[in-house]
């Protein structure tokens, strides 16, 4: 297995690790959601009750996903604005 390593500043490495951790956390959340709800639906079908509380959980999963997966786009804007501000302050 080839491992490609890039040299990052400690700050960028910390951010990369945090982003990957957040994405893995969401994937774990989604997997648990799917497994638990599949089991609940199967059990409910067996006893004739399918009214399960998945609505609230799916709402939480969607919000969690939005925070994790849409965050990098907002982060790019922040980085761009920060760089502009640094340039402005440097050239006073």
């Amino acid at each position: 297995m080839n491992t490609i390593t890039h040299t990052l500043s400690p700050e960028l490495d910390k951010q990369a690790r945090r982003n990957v951790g957040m994405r893995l956390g969401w994937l774990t959340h989604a997997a648990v959601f799917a497994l638990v709800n599949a089991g609940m639906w199967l059990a409910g079908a067996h006893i004739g009750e399918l009214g399960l509380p998945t609505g609230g959980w799916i709402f939480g999963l969607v919000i969690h996903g939005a925070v994790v997966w849409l965050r990098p786009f907002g982060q790019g804007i922040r980085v761009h604005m920060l760089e502009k501000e640094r340039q402005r302050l440097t050239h006073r």
Side-chain angles (χ1 to χ4, degrees):
M1 181 166 133
N2 288 339
T3 304
I4 299 173
T5 57
H6 298 280
T7 305
L8 296 176
S9 69
E11 182 180 321
L12 286 178
D13 185 60
K14 181 179 177 181
Q15 183 66 41
R17 290 175 184 275
R18 182 176 182 271
N19 289 347
V20 168
M22 288 174 59
R23 290 180 182 128
L24 287 173
W26 184 84
L27 291 171
T28 301
H29 186 179
V32 169
F33 171 83
L35 291 172
V36 168
N37 282 287
M40 290 174 65
W41 277 95
L42 289 173
H46 183 67
I47 61 173
E49 293 184 22
L50 292 178
L52 300 173
T54 59
W57 194 353
I58 192 117
F59 181 72
L61 185 62
V62 168
I63 296 299
H64 186 182
V67 168
V68 170
W69 295 101
L70 298 179
R71 184 178 169 276
F73 300 113
Q75 196 67 357
I77 293 168
R78 182 177 184 273
V79 169
H80 177 74
M81 291 174 70
L82 186 58
E83 185 59 33
K84 286 286 191 184
E85 182 64 12
R86 286 179 178 148
Q87 288 176 1
R88 187 186 71 80
L89 292 173
T90 302
H91 299 330
R92 274 186 164 185

